[in-house]
Amino acid sequence: MDDAQFAEVAAWISDAGLRGLDETTMVTEFCTRLLARGLPLVRAQVFIDTLHPTYGGRAYAWHAAKAETTATEYAQPSDGEMMARWQQSPFFRLVESGSSMLRRRLNAQTVTEFPVFSDLFLAGMTEFVAVVDRFGGDAIIGEMDCVYSSWSTDAPDGFTDWQATALRRLTPSLALAIKSATLGRIAKTLVETYLGRDPGARVLKGSITRGISASIEAVLWFSDLHDYTRICDHAQPEEIIPFLNDYAETVISAIHGEGGDVLKLIGDGTLAIFTGADRDAACRAALAAAQKTLDRVDKLKTKRLAGGLPATDLYLALHFGQVVYGNFGSRERLDFTVVGPAVNEVSRIAAMCRLVDQPILFSSAFFESLGPEQNRLVSVGRYALRGVEQPQDLFTLDRGRSA
């Protein structure tokens, strides 16, 4: 690789970052270009911590023999074994020393320095280079404070000094491009995790102006847990969060599985919507999610009780109505949600579950919008709802009919 080729690779990775290529493609193309320009690269790995509710970061591994990059998620070191592996890695040495690069020839004398060296040496590698490209203090997000990378060759004489220097000069550009892609992924994950999938997508597309809203028709879902306050009063404090997580996972997975969007988690309560041009299709999707939720809650309750853990039942209401969907709040704190009388009505219907001793209730508007599957529902009578002007007929599942 000469100076002109170096400049070409540097320009390419900057352009790749600006164009928004995904990390896997960037690593593959970067390594392929280095190899084509004479750098005897055989293996490369790039990894970066991230901000995600279920994993700690992503690793991208490239192998010349496969000519492709694989991406895997990893957890942050949390137990003794994981921490020990991290502390025995070349990257931990760089973090502890404050250095940015570690370069080692792999031979009988150096192979015992780090456990990874033994694997690389047995695979025929002759030299290993580890690099840490750090972020400035204000650019750190969660645990994401740098990009780690490693580069290995099986060339008999390893990397030349020029090649190692060129590699070190190029990694900051690669790190910046990887960071850019990761930040986009973090933004998408966070807004969808905390706002919901559809609201998150709308926010990322620019719907963030206070007061922007639209009137839509939707199936409204409101569910909460029976005797939640009593359970909290009697359960151990460390049991409450796992308890809520178990039930939230059961409810949310069923809603998402049928195409719904969760808008709010209100303590033990869940507000969600099902939308679509076809009323009947939206109602059928909500009904399917409701049936799955009730079945899964029954199984969850049995499992938790068998383990001596607090457990309860779920109350659920489905309603169909017109709502205003958009940004509401102050200049400093906005919420993307639904508002309107129908939202109040669905929560009042859910509260009626206790009175009529039914785990699920449907409004007359939902019943009328459901279509052929109306025969799965049965009336439980006409009731006045607190804060709602007109009484309405309520329905529940006909347990004598199969789905």
Side-chain angles (χ1 to χ4, degrees), residues 200-212:
R202 290 171 183 258
V203 166
L204 287 176
K205 289 179 180 178
S207 296
I208 61 173
T209 302
R210 180 188 183 198
I212 284 185

Side-chain angles (χ1 to χ4, degrees), residues 32 52 94 183 303 333 348 388 397:
T32 300
H52 194 278
L94 290 175
L183 287 175
K303 178 181 177 181
R333 176 65 171 87
R348 298 293 184 245
V388 178
L397 284 171

